[in-house]
Amino acid sequence: MTDIQYLAPRTLDEAVQAFAASSGKGRILAGGTDLLVQMRAGTVTPHTIIDIKKIGEMTAIEETAGGGFRVGAGVSGAILREHPKLKKVWPGVVEAANLIGSTQIQGRATAGGNLCNGSPAGDSVPAMVAAGAIVTIQGPKGRRELPVEAVPKGPGRLNLEPGEIVVSFTLPARPKGSSDAYLRMIPRTEMDIAVVGCGVSLTLEKGVCTAARVGLGAVAPTVLLVEGAAKALIGSKLDEAALDKAANACRAACRPIDDKRGTIAYRTQIAGVLLKRTAAIAAERAGRN
Amino acid sequence: MSTTTTTTAGDDNKWIGKRTVRPDGADKVTGRAAYAADTNMPGMIWGKVLRSPHPHARIKSINTAKAEAHPGVKAVVTAKDVVDFPIAKSVMLGIQDMRWMCRNVMAREKALFVGHPVAAVAATSEKIAAEACKLIEVEYEVLPFVIDVEEAMKPDAPVLHDHITFEGKPSNIAGKLEHKLGDVGEGFAKADVIIERSFRTQPVHQGYIEPHACLVSVSDGKATIWSSSQGQFMVRAMCAYLTGIPQNDIRAIPAEIGGGFGGKTIVYLEPVATLLAKKSGRPVKMAMTRTEVFHASGPTSGSYSKVKLGATKDGKIVAGEGTYCLQAGALPGSPIRGAAGCAFAPYDIPNVHSVGYDVVSNRSKVAAYRAPGAPIGAYAVECVMDELAEALKMDPLQLRLKNAAKQGTKAAHGPTFPRIGFVETIEEAIAHPHYKTPLAKPKNGVLHGRGVASGFWFNAGGESSAQVNVNEDGTVVVITGHPDIGGSRASTANIVAEVLGIDYRKVSVLIGDTSVIGFSNLTGGSRVTYASAMVVTQSTENVIGQLKARAAKIWKIDPEAVIWENGEARPAGDNAGKFEPMTLGQLAAQANATGGPIGAGTQLNTTGAEGGFATHVCDVEVDPELGIVRVLRYTSFQDVGRAIHPGYVEGQMQGGAAQGIGWALSEEYIYDKNGKLDNPSFLDYRMPVTSDLPMLDTVIIEVPNPKHPQGVRGVGEVPLVPPLAAVSNAIHNALGQRFYSLPMSPPKVLAALESKTAKAA
């Protein structure tokens, strides 16, 4: 192995500085559940590793003034699950993050890492997209914000400038009657990668859907925000016709590949099935809120 | 659901049939067990293999000069360093032909699959060895390739080996095996119902958790090999053949084995590491990555098969015909004997014709996998049996019962069965609560189904050696020559404790290396507990004879007048004289005064390992929207002869069922368009994980083997024979649709359901 410089800065400024200085040969270490595996497989050979887990802002979950949440990019799935309020307000986001890997992996794996790995099959990403999460990014030129769906560029590629680090996800406050859900299709029950992943967030008023967002994973080069599906749901009572329309919108949005994990036909078909099932769970939860 | 055990024999035993604590357990759970990669030596260097990137290419030249000059490199080997076994003459070692083994460990004339070793480097670090591999210049003439068995059999397919001909023409068909009984033409003429179907299965890997690894030191021409295998004597013999070092100069030391399932019955790294160690003068360690294990170690065959069964209206099967085409991988040797031989063996069918074809193609050479070939054979026959039962409107277990092989049945592969327990497996299944419990009604669109299937495996005897030594303190050490992959140490200790009449904890069982124990054949063929029991029993009985003689000497009476009971020597009766019984401990303490150390060894070529049978019942649920199949309940019924250690027997039964469910539902080798394996990892080669399976229930049936001192039959392989068809038949029961190709993965199930819906509309 090449000699690797390991840094564990205490501040975001130091981290950004070190990352920018690594001139493309640095990698951010959050949970490391992708990075270390890639290094072992020889697919990445970083010269500098910048561990962000000692930076307070990146490892905290804060409630925002309006009743939303700011979740540090370096918060592990296990910590997310244990937060007393988050899972009540955003159960879909929490369940999606908790599907990543095994129990042991949950102690390490983070939503920030999941997003920055750039895989279209990352489980937490469609749920974050459905949730309308805003990503805070810090780089050499300062801070900026992007909607989560704008961060991935393609498999393994991100719309980030050199030296930029994903700091946190901001999840908005929820009106009454809102909830979310995430489902994925995997051939096994655990320890697998999504063949299709679907996140749905919605708001119901007297049984009528007044707001909805749908995120779809593993069916295109990046996780998709499916606006057509949301439109089909909004204004409906989530009746069969509306769900069929939304399912078809999901299928129409799919641009999957045939590979060892699933066929084009299979992924396309399943995208619609999962939309209906996920929407039903989100609606059931929303009805209780 | 609890695991149940039916015991019909041996309740009066103190140790045989008891769930004694496993001797390897504490070391394994605390991480102390030493597997092959856990041994290190001073001065040790690392070996790495350069592998072919092409599925089929002639090797025109190999230039190793740059690699040899690379700092840190201590040795480079190619096929030139491996002993050549010319194509013209077969040299067999067990079921392996050294002509193919020498070409499998190092490509000679051609690279025959992606991952085929073409050279190896030993260097002071793994990194340097890997770098040096990249400096080796191999000139390839890339050739057209063929992966699938049906493609490989076509007349215009690229031919892998010039010397192989079939029916006078160059061919990829490397061998044919045929079993015939009666006249199938006459048999089918009598049938009222005939069903013929074709089936396809994919290659599946044994999936042992421990990758192949070894450490080899060569000094003064003598080699010491630490490696993980299913037979240290196999390692020694193969390395002797492939390196030219005589067997007396090779000491093969078996490491604790992290799973084998047949896949460690051949060598990959050991001869290469031996050559590198000899050349460099340094101990050499080699360990495969998981990717290398998938690319270059043996899965079992994929297959194409066709099976036809005919029965009269009353459900008597009158004829059976089967053709099995099995992928051998790059070099001949697929398990056609298991497929063609075991397929029809559970049934008393007067007319059988079963044919196997051994077909080479550009993928890694297959290795044994748990009842090699038999699951492929049974899959086709047992699925057709299900259709036959449906056509005859018979319960599928009743159809099996009506046609079950029993004592006196002549099997197509040769033997006339002695007392066997197949009927009992079916009867127990019929009577079991599992088979009587109604299936759940469809709920939320999820459908339920139940399937059954049976299976047979030959089982094996063969060569085993054992030494039983009484220690000075009255404890006992037993040495056998078999790596323990299924609980043989615990079983051996149970037997010795029982025969000697002493506490199990006073018996330690060790696995001897090739220099300390006599020749013992592989751990394979479900033979070890069977054969070990025979040599260990004989040795222990010899020890008891010595103990009685020692007591007789002390008491100054005739040895014939001494009996051995409950771990003590006693006078046979009052006529023999009145003496206090002497324990093993007391006799051991006086051993030197009464004639010296007490111990005995036995070496046998064991025979009489009679076949094993099982019947499985499987419940599934199918989500027709997603195409997902989940197994909800699974019960295996197996005649084991005698369960020496029921816990291990259940483990074998559960493990086989788990592997079979994976084979049926999710495991497969997927190749890309360039002939390269596309899923060489446990992420994408989908073996079931614990949460995918229900508790796998087991019913042990004991119909003792009359030819064995404890009644043992082989246990470890039969459990993998029925599951493929049991799962398939259960899916049919749920969906009303039959599948003829494995794995029945979600995309396949969904596509089949959609095409059915389309046809209906």
Side-chain angles (χ1 to χ4, degrees):
Chain A
M1 289 225 175
T2 329
D3 290 332
I4 299 169
Q5 189 183 20
Y6 168 85
L7 302 172
R10 300 262 166 192
T11 68
L12 202 43
D13 286 340
E14 286 172 77
V16 167
Q17 205 174 18
F19 194 29
S22 70
S23 54
K25 290 182 174 164
R27 294 289 289 227
I28 300 296
L29 174 74
T33 57
D34 285 310
L35 179 61
L36 297 187
V37 175
Q38 289 162 3
M39 285 169 64
R40 240 192 122 106
T43 53
V44 299
T45 48
H47 291 190
T48 307
I49 288 174
I50 300 143
D51 186 342
I52 50 82
K53 286 193 297 297
K54 293 195 165 53
I55 300 167
E57 187 183 353
M58 294 190 69
T59 51
I61 303 173
E62 293 164 36
E63 285 182 60
T64 59
F69 296 88
R70 191 156 41 238
V71 178
V75 173
S76 74
I79 299 290
L80 275 186
R81 184 174 61 236
E82 285 167 15
H83 193 276
K85 281 192 190 162
L86 187 66
K87 66 180 169 227
K88 288 188 186 132
V89 183
W90 290 104
V93 169
V94 175
E95 73 193 349
N98 286 171
L99 282 173
I100 303 166
S102 60
T103 302
Q104 292 90 328
I105 295 294
Q106 278 295 301
R108 309 287 302 175
T110 67
N114 203 217
L115 176 66
C116 293
N117 189 45
S119 164
D123 282 306
S124 66
V125 186
M128 287 284 192
V129 169
I134 300 296
V135 176
T136 298
I137 296 159
Q138 185 153 328
K141 292 177 194 159
R143 270 192 183 219
R144 63 177 179 131
E145 289 184 337
L146 276 181
V148 66
E149 60 272 18
V151 176
K153 194 179 199 173
R157 294 181 299 127
L158 305 174
N159 287 313
L160 294 183
E161 300 296 323
E164 281 192 325
I165 296 173
V166 169
V167 180
S168 62
F169 299 86
T170 303
L171 297 165
R174 307 235 70 186
K176 192 172 158 39
S178 301
S179 196
D180 70 334
Y182 175 78
L183 284 179
R184 66 174 179 181
M185 162 60 211
I186 52 170
R188 285 187 287 223
T189 47
E190 295 276 354
M191 309 297 287
D192 219 328
I193 281 189
V195 177
V196 179
C198 180
V200 174
S201 170
L202 47 75
T203 304
L204 296 179
E205 274 178 40
K206 294 180 183 147
V208 176
C209 178
T210 57
R213 282 172 68 92
V214 174
L216 263 188
V219 294
T222 60
V223 172
L224 302 176
L225 171 67
V226 190
E227 286 171 337
K231 270 188 200 151
L233 298 176
I234 295 167
S236 82
K237 291 193 159 182
L238 303 179
D239 50 290
E240 200 56 34
L243 289 170
D244 276 339
K245 211 171 157 192
N248 287 336
C250 283
R251 291 186 179 120
C254 290
R255 285 173 284 128
I257 51 168
D258 266 329
D259 73 357
K260 58 199 171 191
R261 292 173 187 153
T263 58
I264 292 170
Y266 184 76
R267 290 185 145 120
T268 307
Q269 176 61 21
I270 296 309
V273 175
L274 289 192
L275 177 280
K276 289 184 176 187
R277 293 186 181 188
T278 316
I281 296 168
E284 194 273 328
R285 287 172 180 168
R288 284 186 271 135
N289 284 348
Chain B
M1 261 170 255
S2 65
T3 296
T4 52
T5 300
T6 306
T7 303
T8 58
D11 287 341
D12 54 339
N13 286 324
K14 198 159 178 208
W15 300 106
I16 289 176
K18 297 296 183 287
R19 296 163 190 267
T20 47
V21 173
R22 56 189 291 172
D24 52 331
D27 275 356
K28 282 182 176 162
V29 299
T30 56
R32 286 198 183 90
Y35 294 92
D38 292 333
T39 303
N40 296 298
M41 281 184 88
M44 183 182 90
I45 59 174
W46 291 85
K48 275 276 174 202
V49 174
L50 175 68
R51 297 177 183 277
S52 169
H54 307 294
H56 194 191
R58 198 173 306 284
I59 298 172
K60 299 180 80 174
S61 68
I62 303 177
N63 185 345
T64 59
K66 283 182 192 160
E68 280 161 34
H70 192 60
V73 171
K74 301 293 177 189
V76 179
V77 298
T78 65
K80 276 192 289 190
D81 300 279
V82 180
V83 174
D84 186 13
F85 288 81
I87 295 289
K89 188 168 167 276
S90 171
V91 178
M92 297 304 291
L93 179 72
I95 59 164
Q96 299 296 340
D97 191 324
M98 297 314 294
R99 291 179 296 171
W100 316 139
M101 284 309 300
C102 82
R103 284 166 177 78
N104 197 45
V105 300
M106 201 58 80
R108 191 160 281 274
E109 302 84 2
K110 279 175 163 184
L112 294 163
F113 58 95
V114 173
H116 199 165
V118 292
V121 175
T124 49
S125 75
E126 269 185 291
K127 182 172 167 259
I128 294 172
E131 282 168 7
C133 280
K134 290 183 191 156
L135 298 173
I136 296 172
E137 293 158 342
V138 186
E139 196 186 342
Y140 293 105
E141 177 194 341
V142 177
L143 302 168
F145 66 89
V146 61
I147 300 290
D148 290 321
V149 66
E150 288 164 86
E151 294 292 322
M153 290 174 85
K154 286 183 179 163
D156 58 346
V159 171
L160 272 71
H161 303 283
D162 300 334
H163 63 280
I164 294 176
T165 57
F166 186 74
E167 293 173 345
K169 288 182 214 124
S171 174
N172 291 320
I173 301 173
K176 181 181 177 184
L177 173 142
E178 225 170 338
H179 293 302
K180 267 187 185 170
L181 185 69
D183 182 323
V184 284
E186 279 177 24
F188 283 116
K190 287 182 201 152
D192 300 310
V193 182
I194 294 176
I195 291 174
E196 181 172 18
R197 297 286 182 258
S198 299
F199 299 87
R200 288 175 179 84
T201 69
Q202 293 297 317
V204 291
H205 199 269
Q206 296 83 347
Y208 32 81
I209 296 301
E210 181 198 24
H212 299 270
C214 67
L215 168 65
V216 182
S217 167
V218 180
S219 148
D220 190 24
K222 296 183 199 320
T224 307
I225 303 170
W226 289 264
S227 77
S228 169
S229 80
Q230 288 175 240
Q232 60 272 39
F233 290 90
M234 173 279 298
V235 170
R236 182 178 72 171
M238 286 204 178
C239 288
Y241 270 126
L242 296 172
T243 65
I245 301 173
Q247 289 194 0
N248 66 310
D249 283 340
I250 300 177
R251 182 178 180 191
I253 301 176
E256 193 65 53
I257 180 169
F261 311 104
K264 290 178 182 167
T265 55
I266 60 175
V267 292
Y268 298 99
L269 300 176
E270 291 93 332
V272 177
T274 304
L275 292 167
L276 287 169
K278 194 175 161 188
K279 237 181 182 178
S280 66
R282 303 272 290 267
V284 174
K285 184 173 197 164
M286 297 182 84
M288 284 196 198
T289 61
R290 180 63 56 190
T291 307
E292 288 178 297
V293 170
F294 274 113
H295 276 300
S297 73
T300 193
S301 305
S303 69
Y304 167 76
S305 60
K306 198 180 246 185
V307 159
K308 182 174 166 185
L309 285 175
T312 53
K313 274 184 296 218
D314 61 346
K316 179 74 193 99
I317 301 170
V318 287
E321 198 168 44
T323 305
Y324 291 96
C325 305
L326 266 61
Q327 292 160 349
L331 296 151
S334 65
I336 47 177
R337 183 176 155 264
C342 294
F344 298 94
Y347 306 108
D348 182 3
I349 308 176
N351 306 292
V352 176
H353 188 198
S354 188
V355 185
Y357 291 98
D358 183 25
V359 184
V360 294
S361 67
N362 296 108
R363 55 206 309 167
S364 54
K365 174 179 161 52
V366 299
Y369 180 22
R370 216 164 182 169
I376 294 168
Y379 167 54
V381 167
E382 296 295 315
C383 285
V384 174
M385 283 292 283
D386 207 57
E387 287 199 55
L388 199 57
E390 192 182 24
L392 292 163
K393 299 190 169 59
M394 275 181 85
D395 173 273
L397 285 179
Q398 293 295 345
L399 176 66
R400 285 171 173 82
L401 190 59
K402 190 176 178 81
N403 292 282
K406 47 185 86 67
Q407 188 166 5
T409 299
K410 168 88 176 149
H413 68 279
T416 298
F417 289 124
R419 179 74 172 97
I420 51 173
F422 181 41
V423 164
E424 285 80 352
T425 70
I426 307 169
E427 287 173 344
E428 289 275 354
I430 291 170
H432 195 271
H434 181 169
Y435 202 60
K436 291 179 171 168
T437 305
L439 288 170
K441 294 273 176 290
K443 197 178 159 192
N444 300 330
V446 172
L447 304 165
H448 296 259
R450 176 170 296 152
V452 301
S454 296
F456 165 82
W457 174 246
F458 307 117
N459 290 328
E463 307 92 327
S464 284
S465 302
Q467 175 73 31
V468 175
N469 291 329
V470 176
N471 303 328
E472 303 94 293
D473 62 356
T475 59
V476 176
V477 168
V478 183
I479 303 169
T480 74
H482 302 296
D484 176 0
I485 61 172
S488 55
R489 278 170 293 194
S491 297
T492 300
N494 278 5
I495 289 167
V496 172
E498 188 75 47
V499 174
L500 267 179
I502 62 172
D503 193 295
Y504 167 86
R505 283 155 293 200
K506 289 193 172 172
V507 183
S508 291
V509 182
L510 308 176
I511 300 155
D513 67 59
T514 54
S515 66
V516 307
I517 187 71
F519 180 80
S520 299
N521 210 329
L522 290 169
T523 299
S526 299
R527 61 175 296 270
V528 166
T529 297
Y530 176 86
S532 280
M534 292 176 96
V535 286
V536 160
T537 301
Q538 205 166 309
S539 298
T540 308
E541 282 170 351
N542 185 326
V543 163
I544 289 172
Q546 295 176 38
L547 290 164
K548 290 196 290 188
R550 301 300 172 91
K553 196 169 182 182
I554 292 165
W555 293 332
K556 298 190 176 66
I557 63 172
D558 188 56
E560 299 293 312
V562 180
I563 57 165
W564 187 262
E565 216 172 59
N566 294 328
E568 294 175 335
R570 299 166 187 270
D574 288 345
N575 292 347
K578 282 217 176 254
F579 303 102
E580 279 299 304
M582 290 192 76
T583 64
L584 178 63
Q586 289 167 329
L587 289 165
Q590 295 185 47
N592 283 351
T594 56
I598 299 168
T602 305
Q603 295 178 286
L604 288 177
N605 184 9
T606 64
T607 57
E610 298 300 341
F613 293 86
T615 298
H616 291 189
V617 181
C618 170
D619 291 0
V620 298
E621 66 169 26
V622 186
D623 180 335
E625 283 189 335
L626 298 178
I628 291 187
V629 178
R630 300 266 184 242
V631 175
L632 295 185
R633 187 171 182 183
Y634 200 99
T635 311
S636 308
F637 304 83
Q638 186 176 332
D639 170 27
V640 304
R642 177 72 154 271
I644 300 295
H645 191 296
Y648 270 115
V649 168
E650 287 161 1
Q652 292 276 12
M653 292 166 72
Q654 292 169 322
Q659 288 180 313
I661 291 166
W663 194 337
L665 293 178
S666 58
E667 295 180 38
E668 63 179 319
Y669 270 44
I670 301 167
Y671 282 82
D672 68 15
K673 61 182 192 312
N674 302 315
K676 186 180 179 190
L677 180 63
D678 196 26
N679 59 333
S681 74
F682 278 139
L683 178 60
D684 289 311
Y685 178 85
R686 290 191 162 96
M687 291 175 71
V689 297
T690 311
S691 56
D692 294 336
L693 300 172
M695 178 66 191
L696 299 164
D697 281 2
T698 56
V699 176
I700 293 173
I701 294 156
E702 297 188 306
V703 177
N705 176 358
K707 297 179 181 170
H708 190 270
Q710 283 86 23
V712 169
R713 294 177 203 272
V715 165
E717 286 169 292
V718 191
L720 184 53
V721 184
L724 283 53
V727 174
S728 189
N729 295 337
I731 294 174
H732 164 258
N733 188 238
L735 299 176
Q737 172 142 2
R738 296 209 180 259
F739 290 82
Y740 297 101
S741 165
L742 301 183
M744 294 171 285
S745 58
K748 265 195 195 165
V749 171
L750 196 68
L753 287 172
E754 280 175 351
S755 90
K756 183 185 169 194
T757 315
K759 267 186 214 154

